[in-house]
Amino acid sequence: MFGIVIPSNDTLSEDERARYRQVYCGVCHALKDRSGQMSRLSLSNDLTFLALALSSLYEDDEASDEAACAFHPREGRPLARSACIDYAADMNVVMAYRKSLDDWADDKSRAALLYAKALERRYRDIEARWPVQCRVVELGLERIARIERECPVGGEAFGGDEAARCFGAVLGELFAYREDRWAPLLREMGFWLGQFVYVMDAALDRERDERTGSYNPLLQTGLSVEELRSILSGYAAAASAAFEKLPLVKDAHLMRSVLYSGIWATFNETYEATLPRDGAPAQQRGADVGGGVEARSRATRQKVDP
C-alpha cells in the first residue's frame, strides 16, 4: 500500500519498538506461509497497524516464534503468530493483487501484470475465505480508477474528495474483521484513515506529479500547505475518535504513536519549511493532544524494516 501508517519510533520505548517489529515480522512470515515468497513484496506497514488493532481488540490467542528470512538470514527474529495477523497478511495480498491489475490497466506495466499473475492463485484462495472484502476492494479500486481517468491532469475537474471517500470505504471494509458489535467503529476508523492516506499520498507526491505531468487530485485545487494540513487533520481526528471508542488496552500507546504522530512524519519532513511554530493546533503538527506525543520521526514512506 502506501507506507504512511507507521509508528514514530522516537515516542516509543524499546519494548514497544520490539513489539512492533514482532508483529511486522509476523505479518511478513504469514505472507510467506500462506501465499508464498513473492507475496512478501506486498508487506505493508499500513496493515501491520490493522494487525495490532485487531489483535488488541479481540485479545487474539497469540503465539511467539522466531525465524530467519532473506533480510535477516544469520539469526532468527522474534515474530508473532495469530488469526488476526493471518488476516492482515491476506488483506496485504488482496490490495497488492488488485493494485497490480489497476497498474497494468492504466499504465500497461508489465511488472505489475507479472506480479498479479504470481499472486492470482493465492488471491483466489483468499477470495474464497473473505469474499466480501475482496469484492469491496475490487469495486472500490475500479471506481477510483474511473474517477482519476475522468479528471484530466490539466483540467478543472477535481475528483479527489470522491476518490478519497472510495478508498476510505475500501479500508473501512478491511478493518471490519468480524460482523459484530465492533464492526461499525472499525469501519469508521478505517474509513477516515483511508481518506487520510489517499489525500496524504497525493500531498506528498504533488510536486513530483506536477513536474512529470502525472495525475494528482490536488494539482488543480490551489490548496496551500496549511489548508492541506487542516483537511488531513480533520481526517486524522475522526479516525482517532473512532479508535478511542474501542476498548483497546494491549499496544494502545504503540497505536497512538501511529495515529497521533507517525502518520504525520513524512508530511512534516516534506513541508518542514512551512511547519507552524508555537501556537499552531496540535493535531496539525501531528501531536498527540491527550498524551503529549510529538511528531519528530524522520521515517520515510517506504516500507519500514523495523
Side-chain angles (χ1 to χ4, degrees):
M1 285 171 63
F2 296 93
I4 289 169
V5 186
I6 58 176
S8 174
N9 281 336
D10 291 349
T11 68
L12 300 178
S13 69
E14 190 56 45
D15 285 346
E16 287 170 325
R17 293 185 195 128
R19 170 61 178 165
Y20 187 83
R21 289 194 295 269
Q22 182 190 33
V23 175
Y24 182 89
C25 290
V27 175
C28 183
H29 280 273
L31 281 166
K32 182 198 71 171
D33 295 343
R34 297 168 71 79
S35 298
Q37 286 284 7
M38 286 291 290
S39 72
R40 298 173 99 168
L41 297 174
S42 72
L43 179 61
S44 163
N45 294 91
D46 305 325
L47 292 178
T48 299
F49 174 80
L50 175 60
L52 283 164
L54 295 178
S55 295
S56 180
L57 177 63
Y58 291 110
E59 298 179 338
D60 206 12
D61 288 337
E62 189 177 290
S64 296
D65 200 354
E66 190 173 287
C69 67
F71 294 104
H72 308 97
R74 295 186 178 180
E75 56 183 23
R77 297 189 69 169
L79 58 99
R81 297 188 185 274
S82 73
C84 290
I85 288 172
D86 288 346
Y87 173 78
D90 284 354
M91 295 305 106
N92 268 282
V93 174
V94 171
M95 292 297 291
Y97 175 75
R98 286 296 169 190
K99 179 64 168 62
S100 296
L101 289 180
D102 284 350
D103 288 346
W104 165 246
D106 292 343
D107 305 323
K108 298 306 176 189
S109 167
R110 291 193 61 79
L113 178 62
L114 290 172
Y115 192 52
K117 286 184 178 296
L119 294 179
E120 185 168 10
R121 184 169 66 86
R122 303 295 189 174
Y123 172 82
R124 298 303 173 195
D125 293 339
I126 294 168
E127 187 178 35
R129 290 194 293 271
W130 306 104
V132 173
Q133 287 88 333
C134 289
R135 185 61 173 162
V136 169
V137 171
E138 178 184 4
L139 295 178
L141 295 188
E142 285 179 356
R143 178 60 184 148
I144 291 169
R146 286 197 300 272
I147 293 167
E148 293 179 349
R149 284 195 297 269
E150 292 164 4
C151 297
V153 173
E156 294 298 324
F158 172 59
D161 288 343
E162 186 179 356
R165 286 193 296 272
C166 284
F167 192 75
V170 166
L171 203 61
E173 195 59 44
L174 298 193
F175 272 52
Y177 174 48
R178 298 174 183 167
E179 285 298 339
D180 59 12
R181 61 184 294 194
W182 305 119
L185 277 175
L186 287 167
R187 280 196 178 93
E188 184 179 349
M189 178 168 65
F191 176 71
W192 292 109
L193 189 58
Q195 291 187 80
F196 179 93
V197 166
Y198 184 88
V199 176
M200 175 65 83
D201 184 65
L204 297 174
D205 289 344
R206 184 162 62 166
E207 289 187 9
R208 186 198 66 188
D209 290 340
E210 190 170 18
R211 288 195 308 270
T212 62
S214 301
Y215 172 83
N216 188 305
L218 299 177
L219 288 182
Q220 305 303 318
T221 65
L223 291 170
S224 68
V225 173
E226 289 303 316
E227 289 169 329
L228 266 177
R229 190 180 289 114
S230 178
I231 291 168
L232 288 164
S233 293
Y235 295 145
S240 299
F243 170 85
E244 296 295 350
K245 293 175 185 176
L246 291 165
L248 304 177
V249 177
K250 184 178 181 180
D251 300 322
H253 183 263
L254 170 54
M255 289 183 283
R256 288 190 177 103
S257 167
V258 174
L259 287 175
Y260 293 109
S261 184
I263 59 175
W264 290 97
T266 313
F267 185 90
N268 288 348
E269 181 173 311
T270 301
Y271 295 105
E272 183 173 18
T274 64
L275 285 177
R277 302 303 179 185
D278 292 344
Q283 275 282 0
Q284 294 184 9
R285 295 195 304 272
D288 181 349
V289 179
V293 179
E294 297 180 358
R296 304 195 190 280
S297 171
R298 292 302 184 191
T300 67
R301 267 190 309 153
Q302 301 301 316
K303 289 185 292 188
V304 176
D305 180 7

